[in-house]
Amino acid sequence: MSIATPQLDLVEQVALIDPESGELMDDETYSPYVAGITDSELQAIYRDLVVVRRLDAEATALQRQGQLGLWAPLAGQEAAQIGSARALRSSDFIFPGYREHGVAYVRGVDPAMILRMWRGTSLGGWNPYEVNMMSPAIVIGPHLLFAAGYGMGILRDKTDDVVIAYTGDGGTSQGDFSEALGFAASFRTPTVFFVQNNQYAISSPVGIQATVPIVQRALGFGIHGIRVDGNDVLAVLAVTRNAVERARAGDGPTLIEAVTYRMGPHTTSDDPTRYRDAEELELWRQRDPIDRFRRVLEAHGLADAEFIASVEQSADRYATEVREGCISTPDPEPISLFDNVYATPTRLLDEERADFADLHGLDLQGSGE
């Protein structure tokens, strides 16, 4: 097996944090987007990174203990998710894939709801309109088209909101990805397509999926494209702020390729040792986004022992909420399967619900009618 770092040197990528010293590097275009960030905001970003990794570890443990049917780990991708989500305002709408737990955390989704779909107690998880974020998309690709369409709706509504859609490098191999970029480009929708290139589509390395860097696909659609170091949370924040600014100004969609790495398995049913070696994993562990950002705080005197302890306590409290919320979630009534299929129930749906109830001897009470 070869080290999964294909194409990393073929296209320049935006980086603002020196990976060794933690010092901030100057970028004429993107540094201004984070120039006004305060010390407290830097500390809040670090807290987000640590809490989200703890969320991931707790959910993985819950799956191993039989409390979740499946889990898609995000370890290693925290900077890409926290940085991009923090660039949005609350009225902007998000279409996630199935690994954007960090984005959901930033949006304020109840921790129990993040796990409900993975536990099998919900068909979606949360109410999208309460947080302006769609529930996880398990099928790869269609939500990118939804984001393009939502962007067309924003144009009709004549607001300056923005929509962002997340996918992985594997998602860019889907036809829906190209179709979504085509629609967004043609109608100049305020859509940001955020690709977390974590180097693998399950077991297929990105070098097999794409013969050129993913960001170059933007050129074929005539839209703006930018590649960013996905383990540099400030660079991700700056690049996404730039893309959002362009979208609000009517300059159309942007394709962001955040180069990062999935440290764990594709899902908890996967064994990554079958397709990547320890040397590769260790190489990327040295680029850990949390370690990198902690060096920023240390360089600015913002990471004393008291602060680090408080962050760990926050992570522990959140993990407790996740575990308790997961285990205490009641099983849904079987008849609720028919709830929320359509905004307005149809005659056919009513007939199917009645047939299901009759077949299983269920009461239609409490079915949402």
Side-chain angles (χ1 to χ4, degrees), residues 88 91 132 137-138 154 158 203 248 251 313 335 356 362:
L88 307 172
S91 59
N132 281 338
I138 296 299
I154 289 175
K158 293 182 170 53
S203 58
R248 295 199 205 286
D251 293 332
Q313 290 169 3
I335 199 67
F356 183 87
L362 301 174

Side-chain angles (χ1 to χ4, degrees), residues 316-344:
D316 289 342
R317 285 195 299 270
Y318 191 79
T320 299
E321 292 179 25
V322 167
R323 175 170 288 274
E324 292 177 348
C326 171
I327 295 175
S328 65
T329 299
D331 291 337
E333 295 297 327
I335 199 67
S336 68
L337 173 70
F338 297 90
D339 295 347
N340 304 314
V341 176
Y342 297 107
T344 302

